[in-house]
Amino acid sequence: MESVLPTHAGDSANRLAHKNADRFRFATYASVGVAGTFAQYAVLSALVSIHACGAVLASCLGSVTGAMVNYLLNYHATFRAKASHNRTAPRYFTVAAISVGLNSALMFAFMHRLRMSWPLAQCITTACVLLFGYSVNSLWTFRVRSA
């Protein structure tokens, strides 16, 4: 006869461990984003201060640098990927490109349609893009599966 009792304590502990691992992975992903942003701003500041190029180009070059930092840190630290860079890098940078578009669309909508101030719009946009990027990179780029 099958039991209809609640799940065993071991099942609950296993689910809790996976939930904690997911939270830690998300926190690591967000921290990696801070490192990538720092790299972007460092390149931007350096190029502008030595008059190597204008701020817009310097920001673009810094953004590419930040994306590369983010990719490598996420590959090794956040997701501990086993798949080859040939598989993960194109996926990661596809997600990054979509994220840039999402960032632009949300900023436009929040500022021009909802009349938000740019700092508030950017904060909300950043949170949305962070959740989007983490979700897609977890499920597609690095294929993290919870048990």
Side-chain angles (χ1 to χ4, degrees):
M1 181 173 192
E2 275 188 52
S3 174
V4 286
L5 296 174
T7 59
H8 293 48
D11 292 340
S12 294
N14 196 22
R15 276 195 301 276
L16 181 60
H18 284 293
K19 191 177 255 186
N20 287 338
D22 289 341
R23 287 181 183 142
F24 180 77
R25 189 178 303 110
F26 179 77
T28 303
Y29 186 86
S31 298
V32 162
V34 170
T37 300
F38 180 80
Q40 176 185 0
Y41 281 43
V43 169
L44 166 63
S45 298
L47 292 175
V48 169
S49 64
I50 65 169
H51 306 287
C53 59
V56 173
L57 178 57
S59 180
C60 289
L61 295 171
S63 184
V64 170
T65 302
M68 290 188 297
V69 167
N70 285 347
Y71 170 72
L72 291 171
L73 290 174
N74 279 316
Y75 183 91
H76 293 290
T78 307
F79 297 105
R80 296 187 174 122
K82 303 286 188 248
S84 72
H85 290 292
N86 288 337
R87 184 177 83 75
T88 57
R91 290 178 180 208
Y92 185 86
F93 289 107
T94 297
V95 174
I98 293 168
S99 294
V100 168
L102 178 61
N103 182 85
S104 300
L106 289 173
M107 283 295 287
F108 181 87
F110 290 149
M111 291 179 62
H112 297 287
R113 299 288 185 238
L114 300 178
R115 306 279 185 221
M116 286 184 189
S117 65
W118 72 262
L120 177 59
Q122 187 62 69
C123 287
I124 295 169
T125 296
T126 298
C128 293
V129 173
L130 174 68
L131 293 172
F132 168 79
Y134 177 75
S135 298
V136 176
N137 282 317
S138 292
L139 297 171
W140 182 57
T141 306
F142 299 108
R143 289 196 194 243
V144 174
R145 292 186 178 102
S146 293

Short mmCIF file of all heavy atoms in Angstrom, two decimals, residues 47-117:
data_model
loop_
_atom_site.label_atom_id
_atom_site.label_comp_id
_atom_site.label_asym_id
_atom_site.label_seq_id
_atom_site.Cartn_x
_atom_site.Cartn_y
_atom_site.Cartn_z
N LEU A 47 40.64 55.72 -21.14
CA LEU A 47 40.69 56.20 -22.52
C LEU A 47 40.35 57.69 -22.62
O LEU A 47 40.97 58.42 -23.40
CB LEU A 47 39.77 55.38 -23.41
CG LEU A 47 40.20 53.92 -23.65
CD1 LEU A 47 39.13 53.17 -24.44
CD2 LEU A 47 41.55 53.85 -24.34
N VAL A 48 39.38 58.13 -21.84
CA VAL A 48 39.00 59.54 -21.87
C VAL A 48 40.11 60.40 -21.24
O VAL A 48 40.47 61.45 -21.77
CB VAL A 48 37.65 59.77 -21.17
CG1 VAL A 48 37.37 61.25 -20.96
CG2 VAL A 48 36.53 59.14 -22.00
N SER A 49 40.67 59.94 -20.13
CA SER A 49 41.66 60.76 -19.44
C SER A 49 42.97 60.89 -20.21
O SER A 49 43.66 61.89 -20.07
CB SER A 49 41.91 60.24 -18.02
OG SER A 49 42.48 58.97 -18.05
N ILE A 50 43.32 59.91 -21.05
CA ILE A 50 44.53 60.06 -21.87
C ILE A 50 44.21 60.59 -23.26
O ILE A 50 45.08 60.64 -24.12
CB ILE A 50 45.32 58.73 -21.97
CG1 ILE A 50 44.52 57.65 -22.71
CG2 ILE A 50 45.78 58.25 -20.60
CD1 ILE A 50 45.34 56.43 -23.08
N HIS A 51 42.95 60.98 -23.45
CA HIS A 51 42.49 61.57 -24.72
C HIS A 51 42.70 60.63 -25.91
O HIS A 51 42.96 61.07 -27.02
CB HIS A 51 43.17 62.92 -24.98
CG HIS A 51 43.01 63.88 -23.86
ND1 HIS A 51 41.82 64.51 -23.59
CD2 HIS A 51 43.88 64.31 -22.90
CE1 HIS A 51 41.96 65.28 -22.53
NE2 HIS A 51 43.20 65.18 -22.09
N ALA A 52 42.53 59.31 -25.65
CA ALA A 52 42.69 58.33 -26.73
C ALA A 52 41.50 58.35 -27.68
O ALA A 52 41.65 58.06 -28.87
CB ALA A 52 42.87 56.94 -26.15
N CYS A 53 40.33 58.69 -27.15
CA CYS A 53 39.12 58.76 -27.96
C CYS A 53 38.05 59.49 -27.16
O CYS A 53 38.24 59.78 -25.97
CB CYS A 53 38.65 57.37 -28.39
SG CYS A 53 38.30 56.24 -27.04
N GLY A 54 36.92 59.74 -27.80
CA GLY A 54 35.81 60.40 -27.12
C GLY A 54 35.10 59.46 -26.15
O GLY A 54 35.30 58.24 -26.16
N ALA A 55 34.26 60.04 -25.33
CA ALA A 55 33.58 59.28 -24.28
C ALA A 55 32.64 58.21 -24.82
O ALA A 55 32.54 57.13 -24.24
CB ALA A 55 32.81 60.23 -23.36
N VAL A 56 31.98 58.48 -25.93
CA VAL A 56 31.04 57.49 -26.47
C VAL A 56 31.78 56.24 -26.93
O VAL A 56 31.42 55.11 -26.57
CB VAL A 56 30.19 58.09 -27.62
CG1 VAL A 56 29.34 57.01 -28.28
CG2 VAL A 56 29.31 59.20 -27.08
N LEU A 57 32.84 56.42 -27.71
CA LEU A 57 33.64 55.28 -28.16
C LEU A 57 34.31 54.59 -26.97
O LEU A 57 34.32 53.35 -26.89
CB LEU A 57 34.71 55.72 -29.18
CG LEU A 57 35.64 54.61 -29.69
CD1 LEU A 57 34.84 53.47 -30.32
CD2 LEU A 57 36.65 55.19 -30.67
N ALA A 58 34.80 55.36 -26.03
CA ALA A 58 35.43 54.79 -24.84
C ALA A 58 34.43 53.96 -24.04
O ALA A 58 34.77 52.88 -23.53
CB ALA A 58 36.03 55.89 -23.97
N SER A 59 33.20 54.44 -23.95
CA SER A 59 32.16 53.68 -23.25
C SER A 59 31.85 52.38 -23.97
O SER A 59 31.67 51.33 -23.34
CB SER A 59 30.89 54.53 -23.13
OG SER A 59 29.88 53.80 -22.47
N CYS A 60 31.80 52.42 -25.30
CA CYS A 60 31.56 51.20 -26.09
C CYS A 60 32.68 50.19 -25.89
O CYS A 60 32.42 49.01 -25.67
CB CYS A 60 31.42 51.54 -27.57
SG CYS A 60 29.90 52.42 -27.95
N LEU A 61 33.92 50.66 -25.97
CA LEU A 61 35.06 49.76 -25.76
C LEU A 61 35.07 49.21 -24.34
O LEU A 61 35.36 48.04 -24.12
CB LEU A 61 36.37 50.49 -26.08
CG LEU A 61 36.54 50.91 -27.54
CD1 LEU A 61 37.76 51.80 -27.70
CD2 LEU A 61 36.63 49.69 -28.45
N GLY A 62 34.73 50.05 -23.39
CA GLY A 62 34.63 49.60 -22.01
C GLY A 62 33.53 48.58 -21.82
O GLY A 62 33.67 47.61 -21.08
N SER A 63 32.43 48.77 -22.52
CA SER A 63 31.31 47.84 -22.45
C SER A 63 31.70 46.46 -22.98
O SER A 63 31.35 45.43 -22.39
CB SER A 63 30.13 48.40 -23.23
OG SER A 63 29.02 47.57 -23.11
N VAL A 64 32.44 46.45 -24.07
CA VAL A 64 32.92 45.17 -24.62
C VAL A 64 33.87 44.50 -23.62
O VAL A 64 33.79 43.29 -23.38
CB VAL A 64 33.62 45.39 -25.99
CG1 VAL A 64 34.34 44.14 -26.45
CG2 VAL A 64 32.60 45.84 -27.02
N THR A 65 34.74 45.28 -23.01
CA THR A 65 35.65 44.75 -22.00
C THR A 65 34.86 44.17 -20.82
O THR A 65 35.14 43.07 -20.36
CB THR A 65 36.61 45.86 -21.50
OG1 THR A 65 37.33 46.38 -22.60
CG2 THR A 65 37.57 45.32 -20.45
N GLY A 66 33.87 44.91 -20.37
CA GLY A 66 33.03 44.44 -19.27
C GLY A 66 32.29 43.16 -19.61
O GLY A 66 32.18 42.25 -18.78
N ALA A 67 31.80 43.06 -20.84
CA ALA A 67 31.10 41.84 -21.26
C ALA A 67 32.05 40.64 -21.28
O ALA A 67 31.66 39.54 -20.88
CB ALA A 67 30.48 42.05 -22.65
N MET A 68 33.29 40.85 -21.70
CA MET A 68 34.26 39.75 -21.70
C MET A 68 34.60 39.32 -20.27
O MET A 68 34.69 38.12 -19.99
CB MET A 68 35.52 40.15 -22.48
CG MET A 68 35.26 40.25 -23.98
SD MET A 68 36.73 40.50 -25.00
CE MET A 68 37.32 42.06 -24.43
N VAL A 69 34.77 40.30 -19.39
CA VAL A 69 35.02 39.98 -17.97
C VAL A 69 33.85 39.20 -17.41
O VAL A 69 34.02 38.16 -16.75
CB VAL A 69 35.27 41.28 -17.16
CG1 VAL A 69 35.23 41.02 -15.66
CG2 VAL A 69 36.61 41.89 -17.55
N ASN A 70 32.63 39.68 -17.68
CA ASN A 70 31.43 38.99 -17.19
C ASN A 70 31.35 37.57 -17.72
O ASN A 70 31.02 36.63 -16.97
CB ASN A 70 30.17 39.76 -17.60
CG ASN A 70 29.94 40.99 -16.78
OD1 ASN A 70 30.55 41.21 -15.75
ND2 ASN A 70 29.05 41.84 -17.26
N TYR A 71 31.61 37.39 -19.00
CA TYR A 71 31.53 36.05 -19.59
C TYR A 71 32.50 35.10 -18.90
O TYR A 71 32.12 34.01 -18.48
CB TYR A 71 31.81 36.08 -21.09
CG TYR A 71 31.97 34.69 -21.65
CD1 TYR A 71 30.87 33.84 -21.77
CD2 TYR A 71 33.23 34.18 -21.99
CE1 TYR A 71 31.01 32.54 -22.24
CE2 TYR A 71 33.37 32.89 -22.45
CZ TYR A 71 32.26 32.07 -22.57
OH TYR A 71 32.41 30.78 -23.02
N LEU A 72 33.74 35.50 -18.80
CA LEU A 72 34.75 34.61 -18.21
C LEU A 72 34.46 34.30 -16.74
O LEU A 72 34.57 33.14 -16.31
CB LEU A 72 36.15 35.21 -18.37
CG LEU A 72 36.66 35.23 -19.80
CD1 LEU A 72 37.96 36.04 -19.90
CD2 LEU A 72 36.85 33.82 -20.34
N LEU A 73 34.06 35.30 -15.98
CA LEU A 73 33.73 35.06 -14.57
C LEU A 73 32.48 34.20 -14.42
O LEU A 73 32.42 33.31 -13.56
CB LEU A 73 33.59 36.38 -13.81
CG LEU A 73 34.87 37.15 -13.58
CD1 LEU A 73 34.58 38.51 -12.95
CD2 LEU A 73 35.84 36.36 -12.70
N ASN A 74 31.47 34.47 -15.24
CA ASN A 74 30.26 33.64 -15.18
C ASN A 74 30.54 32.21 -15.62
O ASN A 74 30.03 31.26 -15.02
CB ASN A 74 29.13 34.25 -16.01
CG ASN A 74 28.42 35.35 -15.27
OD1 ASN A 74 28.11 35.22 -14.09
ND2 ASN A 74 28.16 36.44 -15.95
N TYR A 75 31.35 32.05 -16.64
CA TYR A 75 31.70 30.71 -17.13
C TYR A 75 32.38 29.90 -16.03
O TYR A 75 32.02 28.75 -15.78
CB TYR A 75 32.62 30.83 -18.35
CG TYR A 75 32.98 29.49 -18.98
CD1 TYR A 75 32.20 28.96 -19.99
CD2 TYR A 75 34.10 28.78 -18.55
CE1 TYR A 75 32.52 27.74 -20.58
CE2 TYR A 75 34.43 27.56 -19.13
CZ TYR A 75 33.64 27.05 -20.13
OH TYR A 75 33.96 25.83 -20.69
N HIS A 76 33.36 30.52 -15.38
CA HIS A 76 34.18 29.78 -14.40
C HIS A 76 33.60 29.80 -12.99
O HIS A 76 33.62 28.76 -12.31
CB HIS A 76 35.61 30.32 -14.39
CG HIS A 76 36.35 30.06 -15.66
ND1 HIS A 76 36.75 28.81 -16.04
CD2 HIS A 76 36.72 30.90 -16.65
CE1 HIS A 76 37.36 28.88 -17.21
NE2 HIS A 76 37.36 30.13 -17.61
N ALA A 77 33.11 30.94 -12.53
CA ALA A 77 32.71 31.07 -11.12
C ALA A 77 31.22 30.85 -10.89
O ALA A 77 30.84 30.05 -10.04
CB ALA A 77 33.13 32.44 -10.58
N THR A 78 30.39 31.54 -11.65
CA THR A 78 28.95 31.49 -11.39
C THR A 78 28.36 30.13 -11.77
O THR A 78 27.67 29.51 -10.97
CB THR A 78 28.21 32.60 -12.16
OG1 THR A 78 28.81 33.86 -11.86
CG2 THR A 78 26.74 32.61 -11.82
N PHE A 79 28.64 29.70 -12.99
CA PHE A 79 28.00 28.50 -13.51
C PHE A 79 28.92 27.28 -13.55
O PHE A 79 28.45 26.17 -13.79
CB PHE A 79 27.41 28.77 -14.89
CG PHE A 79 26.35 29.82 -14.87
CD1 PHE A 79 26.60 31.11 -15.33
CD2 PHE A 79 25.09 29.54 -14.35
CE1 PHE A 79 25.62 32.08 -15.29
CE2 PHE A 79 24.11 30.50 -14.31
CZ PHE A 79 24.37 31.78 -14.78
N ARG A 80 30.22 27.48 -13.35
CA ARG A 80 31.20 26.39 -13.41
C ARG A 80 30.93 25.50 -14.62
O ARG A 80 30.74 24.28 -14.51
CB ARG A 80 31.18 25.60 -12.11
CG ARG A 80 31.63 26.44 -10.94
CD ARG A 80 31.79 25.64 -9.68
NE ARG A 80 32.34 26.51 -8.66
CZ ARG A 80 31.76 26.75 -7.50
NH1 ARG A 80 30.62 26.17 -7.20
NH2 ARG A 80 32.32 27.56 -6.65
N ALA A 81 30.89 26.16 -15.77
CA ALA A 81 30.50 25.50 -17.02
C ALA A 81 31.47 24.40 -17.41
O ALA A 81 32.67 24.49 -17.19
CB ALA A 81 30.41 26.53 -18.13
N LYS A 82 30.92 23.37 -17.99
CA LYS A 82 31.70 22.25 -18.53
C LYS A 82 31.71 22.27 -20.06
O LYS A 82 32.58 21.69 -20.68
CB LYS A 82 31.12 20.92 -18.04
CG LYS A 82 31.03 20.79 -16.53
CD LYS A 82 32.38 20.57 -15.91
CE LYS A 82 32.25 20.25 -14.44
NZ LYS A 82 32.76 21.28 -13.56
N ALA A 83 30.73 22.94 -20.65
CA ALA A 83 30.63 23.01 -22.10
C ALA A 83 31.76 23.88 -22.66
O ALA A 83 32.32 24.72 -21.96
CB ALA A 83 29.28 23.58 -22.51
N SER A 84 32.06 23.69 -23.92
CA SER A 84 33.14 24.44 -24.56
C SER A 84 32.75 25.90 -24.75
O SER A 84 31.57 26.25 -24.81
CB SER A 84 33.47 23.82 -25.92
OG SER A 84 32.44 24.12 -26.83
N HIS A 85 33.78 26.74 -24.88
CA HIS A 85 33.55 28.15 -25.18
C HIS A 85 32.91 28.30 -26.56
O HIS A 85 32.16 29.26 -26.78
CB HIS A 85 34.87 28.93 -25.13
CG HIS A 85 35.41 29.07 -23.74
ND1 HIS A 85 34.80 29.83 -22.77
CD2 HIS A 85 36.51 28.53 -23.17
CE1 HIS A 85 35.50 29.77 -21.66
NE2 HIS A 85 36.54 28.98 -21.86
N ASN A 86 33.17 27.36 -27.46
CA ASN A 86 32.55 27.42 -28.79
C ASN A 86 31.03 27.34 -28.71
O ASN A 86 30.33 27.86 -29.57
CB ASN A 86 33.07 26.28 -29.68
CG ASN A 86 34.49 26.48 -30.11
OD1 ASN A 86 34.99 27.60 -30.13
ND2 ASN A 86 35.17 25.40 -30.44
N ARG A 87 30.52 26.67 -27.69
CA ARG A 87 29.07 26.58 -27.51
C ARG A 87 28.55 27.71 -26.64
O ARG A 87 27.53 28.32 -26.95
CB ARG A 87 28.68 25.25 -26.87
CG ARG A 87 27.16 25.08 -26.76
CD ARG A 87 26.71 23.76 -26.20
NE ARG A 87 26.71 23.69 -24.76
CZ ARG A 87 25.82 24.27 -23.96
NH1 ARG A 87 24.87 25.00 -24.47
NH2 ARG A 87 25.88 24.13 -22.67
N THR A 88 29.24 28.01 -25.54
CA THR A 88 28.69 28.98 -24.59
C THR A 88 28.91 30.43 -24.99
O THR A 88 28.03 31.27 -24.77
CB THR A 88 29.27 28.75 -23.18
OG1 THR A 88 30.69 28.81 -23.24
CG2 THR A 88 28.82 27.40 -22.62
N ALA A 89 30.05 30.77 -25.57
CA ALA A 89 30.33 32.18 -25.89
C ALA A 89 29.32 32.78 -26.86
O ALA A 89 28.79 33.87 -26.59
CB ALA A 89 31.76 32.35 -26.40
N PRO A 90 29.00 32.12 -27.98
CA PRO A 90 27.99 32.72 -28.88
C PRO A 90 26.64 32.91 -28.19
O PRO A 90 25.96 33.92 -28.41
CB PRO A 90 27.88 31.72 -30.03
CG PRO A 90 29.16 30.97 -30.01
CD PRO A 90 29.57 30.91 -28.57
N ARG A 91 26.27 31.97 -27.36
CA ARG A 91 25.01 32.09 -26.64
C ARG A 91 25.06 33.26 -25.65
O ARG A 91 24.12 34.05 -25.56
CB ARG A 91 24.69 30.79 -25.89
CG ARG A 91 24.33 29.65 -26.80
CD ARG A 91 24.07 28.39 -26.03
NE ARG A 91 23.73 27.31 -26.93
CZ ARG A 91 22.96 26.28 -26.60
NH1 ARG A 91 22.49 26.18 -25.38
NH2 ARG A 91 22.68 25.35 -27.48
N TYR A 92 26.16 33.33 -24.91
CA TYR A 92 26.30 34.39 -23.91
C TYR A 92 26.22 35.77 -24.57
O TYR A 92 25.51 36.66 -24.10
CB TYR A 92 27.61 34.25 -23.15
CG TYR A 92 27.72 35.24 -22.02
CD1 TYR A 92 27.19 34.96 -20.78
CD2 TYR A 92 28.32 36.48 -22.21
CE1 TYR A 92 27.25 35.88 -19.74
CE2 TYR A 92 28.39 37.40 -21.19
CZ TYR A 92 27.86 37.10 -19.96
OH TYR A 92 27.92 38.02 -18.94
N PHE A 93 26.96 35.95 -25.67
CA PHE A 93 26.98 37.26 -26.30
C PHE A 93 25.69 37.56 -27.06
O PHE A 93 25.34 38.73 -27.24
CB PHE A 93 28.25 37.43 -27.14
CG PHE A 93 29.47 37.55 -26.26
CD1 PHE A 93 30.38 36.50 -26.15
CD2 PHE A 93 29.68 38.67 -25.49
CE1 PHE A 93 31.48 36.59 -25.30
CE2 PHE A 93 30.78 38.79 -24.64
CZ PHE A 93 31.68 37.75 -24.55
N THR A 94 24.94 36.53 -27.43
CA THR A 94 23.59 36.75 -27.98
C THR A 94 22.69 37.29 -26.89
O THR A 94 21.94 38.26 -27.10
CB THR A 94 23.02 35.43 -28.56
OG1 THR A 94 23.84 35.02 -29.64
CG2 THR A 94 21.58 35.60 -29.00
N VAL A 95 22.76 36.69 -25.71
CA VAL A 95 21.97 37.17 -24.57
C VAL A 95 22.39 38.60 -24.22
O VAL A 95 21.54 39.46 -23.94
CB VAL A 95 22.11 36.23 -23.35
CG1 VAL A 95 21.42 36.81 -22.12
CG2 VAL A 95 21.56 34.85 -23.67
N ALA A 96 23.68 38.87 -24.26
CA ALA A 96 24.17 40.23 -23.95
C ALA A 96 23.62 41.24 -24.95
O ALA A 96 23.20 42.34 -24.57
CB ALA A 96 25.70 40.25 -23.95
N ALA A 97 23.61 40.89 -26.23
CA ALA A 97 23.08 41.80 -27.26
C ALA A 97 21.58 42.05 -27.06
O ALA A 97 21.11 43.19 -27.16
CB ALA A 97 23.34 41.24 -28.65
N ILE A 98 20.85 41.00 -26.75
CA ILE A 98 19.41 41.15 -26.48
C ILE A 98 19.21 42.01 -25.24
O ILE A 98 18.30 42.85 -25.19
CB ILE A 98 18.73 39.78 -26.35
CG1 ILE A 98 18.74 39.05 -27.69
CG2 ILE A 98 17.30 39.92 -25.82
CD1 ILE A 98 18.36 37.58 -27.61
N SER A 99 20.07 41.83 -24.26
CA SER A 99 19.98 42.62 -23.03
C SER A 99 20.19 44.11 -23.30
O SER A 99 19.53 44.96 -22.69
CB SER A 99 21.00 42.13 -22.00
OG SER A 99 20.68 40.82 -21.58
N VAL A 100 21.09 44.44 -24.21
CA VAL A 100 21.31 45.84 -24.58
C VAL A 100 20.03 46.40 -25.20
O VAL A 100 19.59 47.51 -24.88
CB VAL A 100 22.51 45.99 -25.54
CG1 VAL A 100 22.56 47.38 -26.15
CG2 VAL A 100 23.81 45.68 -24.82
N GLY A 101 19.41 45.62 -26.09
CA GLY A 101 18.15 46.05 -26.70
C GLY A 101 17.05 46.20 -25.67
O GLY A 101 16.27 47.18 -25.70
N LEU A 102 16.95 45.25 -24.75
CA LEU A 102 15.95 45.31 -23.69
C LEU A 102 16.18 46.54 -22.82
O LEU A 102 15.24 47.25 -22.46
CB LEU A 102 15.99 44.03 -22.86
CG LEU A 102 15.02 43.94 -21.68
CD1 LEU A 102 13.57 44.03 -22.15
CD2 LEU A 102 15.27 42.64 -20.92
N ASN A 103 17.44 46.79 -22.48
CA ASN A 103 17.80 47.96 -21.68
C ASN A 103 17.32 49.24 -22.39
O ASN A 103 16.69 50.09 -21.78
CB ASN A 103 19.32 48.01 -21.48
CG ASN A 103 19.74 49.18 -20.62
OD1 ASN A 103 19.73 49.11 -19.40
ND2 ASN A 103 20.12 50.27 -21.26
N SER A 104 17.60 49.34 -23.67
CA SER A 104 17.21 50.54 -24.43
C SER A 104 15.69 50.69 -24.49
O SER A 104 15.16 51.79 -24.29
CB SER A 104 17.78 50.47 -25.85
OG SER A 104 19.18 50.40 -25.80
N ALA A 105 15.00 49.61 -24.78
CA ALA A 105 13.53 49.66 -24.89
C ALA A 105 12.89 50.03 -23.56
O ALA A 105 11.96 50.85 -23.51
CB ALA A 105 13.00 48.31 -25.38
N LEU A 106 13.36 49.43 -22.48
CA LEU A 106 12.79 49.74 -21.17
C LEU A 106 13.07 51.18 -20.76
O LEU A 106 12.19 51.87 -20.25
CB LEU A 106 13.31 48.77 -20.11
CG LEU A 106 12.79 47.34 -20.21
CD1 LEU A 106 13.50 46.43 -19.20
CD2 LEU A 106 11.28 47.28 -20.00
N MET A 107 14.31 51.62 -20.98
CA MET A 107 14.64 53.01 -20.65
C MET A 107 13.75 53.98 -21.43
O MET A 107 13.23 54.94 -20.86
CB MET A 107 16.12 53.30 -20.92
CG MET A 107 17.07 52.76 -19.89
SD MET A 107 16.87 53.53 -18.26
CE MET A 107 17.57 55.15 -18.56
N PHE A 108 13.58 53.71 -22.70
CA PHE A 108 12.72 54.57 -23.53
C PHE A 108 11.29 54.57 -22.98
O PHE A 108 10.68 55.63 -22.80
CB PHE A 108 12.72 54.13 -24.99
CG PHE A 108 11.88 55.00 -25.86
CD1 PHE A 108 12.43 56.14 -26.43
CD2 PHE A 108 10.55 54.69 -26.10
CE1 PHE A 108 11.64 56.98 -27.23
CE2 PHE A 108 9.76 55.52 -26.89
CZ PHE A 108 10.30 56.68 -27.46
N ALA A 109 10.76 53.39 -22.71
CA ALA A 109 9.38 53.29 -22.23
C ALA A 109 9.20 53.96 -20.87
O ALA A 109 8.24 54.72 -20.66
CB ALA A 109 8.96 51.82 -22.14
N PHE A 110 10.11 53.70 -19.96
CA PHE A 110 9.98 54.28 -18.63
C PHE A 110 10.12 55.81 -18.66
O PHE A 110 9.38 56.52 -17.97
CB PHE A 110 11.01 53.69 -17.67
CG PHE A 110 10.75 52.25 -17.31
CD1 PHE A 110 11.82 51.40 -17.03
CD2 PHE A 110 9.47 51.72 -17.24
CE1 PHE A 110 11.60 50.07 -16.69
CE2 PHE A 110 9.24 50.40 -16.90
CZ PHE A 110 10.31 49.58 -16.63
N MET A 111 11.04 56.30 -19.45
CA MET A 111 11.28 57.74 -19.47
C MET A 111 10.28 58.51 -20.33
O MET A 111 9.79 59.56 -19.93
CB MET A 111 12.70 58.03 -19.95
CG MET A 111 13.76 57.60 -18.96
SD MET A 111 15.42 57.92 -19.56
CE MET A 111 15.39 59.71 -19.69
N HIS A 112 9.96 57.98 -21.51
CA HIS A 112 9.13 58.74 -22.45
C HIS A 112 7.65 58.39 -22.39
O HIS A 112 6.82 59.22 -22.78
CB HIS A 112 9.67 58.58 -23.87
CG HIS A 112 11.06 59.14 -24.00
ND1 HIS A 112 11.32 60.49 -24.02
CD2 HIS A 112 12.26 58.52 -24.09
CE1 HIS A 112 12.61 60.68 -24.12
NE2 HIS A 112 13.23 59.51 -24.17
N ARG A 113 7.34 57.20 -21.96
CA ARG A 113 5.92 56.82 -21.86
C ARG A 113 5.40 57.00 -20.43
O ARG A 113 4.30 57.48 -20.24
CB ARG A 113 5.70 55.37 -22.30
CG ARG A 113 6.10 55.09 -23.74
CD ARG A 113 5.11 55.72 -24.72
NE ARG A 113 5.46 55.34 -26.07
CZ ARG A 113 5.72 56.21 -27.03
NH1 ARG A 113 5.67 57.50 -26.81
NH2 ARG A 113 6.03 55.79 -28.24
N LEU A 114 6.20 56.60 -19.46
CA LEU A 114 5.76 56.69 -18.06
C LEU A 114 6.31 57.92 -17.35
O LEU A 114 6.02 58.13 -16.18
CB LEU A 114 6.16 55.41 -17.31
CG LEU A 114 5.55 54.12 -17.87
CD1 LEU A 114 6.05 52.92 -17.08
CD2 LEU A 114 4.03 54.18 -17.84
N ARG A 115 7.13 58.69 -18.02
CA ARG A 115 7.67 59.95 -17.51
C ARG A 115 8.46 59.79 -16.21
O ARG A 115 8.40 60.64 -15.32
CB ARG A 115 6.56 60.98 -17.31
CG ARG A 115 5.71 61.24 -18.52
CD ARG A 115 6.41 62.19 -19.44
NE ARG A 115 5.52 62.51 -20.56
CZ ARG A 115 5.96 62.62 -21.79
NH1 ARG A 115 7.22 62.46 -22.06
NH2 ARG A 115 5.13 62.90 -22.77
N MET A 116 9.21 58.70 -16.10
CA MET A 116 10.07 58.49 -14.92
C MET A 116 11.36 59.29 -15.10
O MET A 116 11.79 59.56 -16.21
CB MET A 116 10.46 57.02 -14.80
CG MET A 116 9.39 56.12 -14.33
SD MET A 116 10.10 54.44 -14.14
CE MET A 116 8.61 53.53 -13.86
N SER A 117 11.98 59.61 -13.99
CA SER A 117 13.30 60.23 -14.04
C SER A 117 14.29 59.17 -14.52
O SER A 117 14.07 57.96 -14.33
CB SER A 117 13.71 60.72 -12.66
OG SER A 117 13.87 59.62 -11.77
#
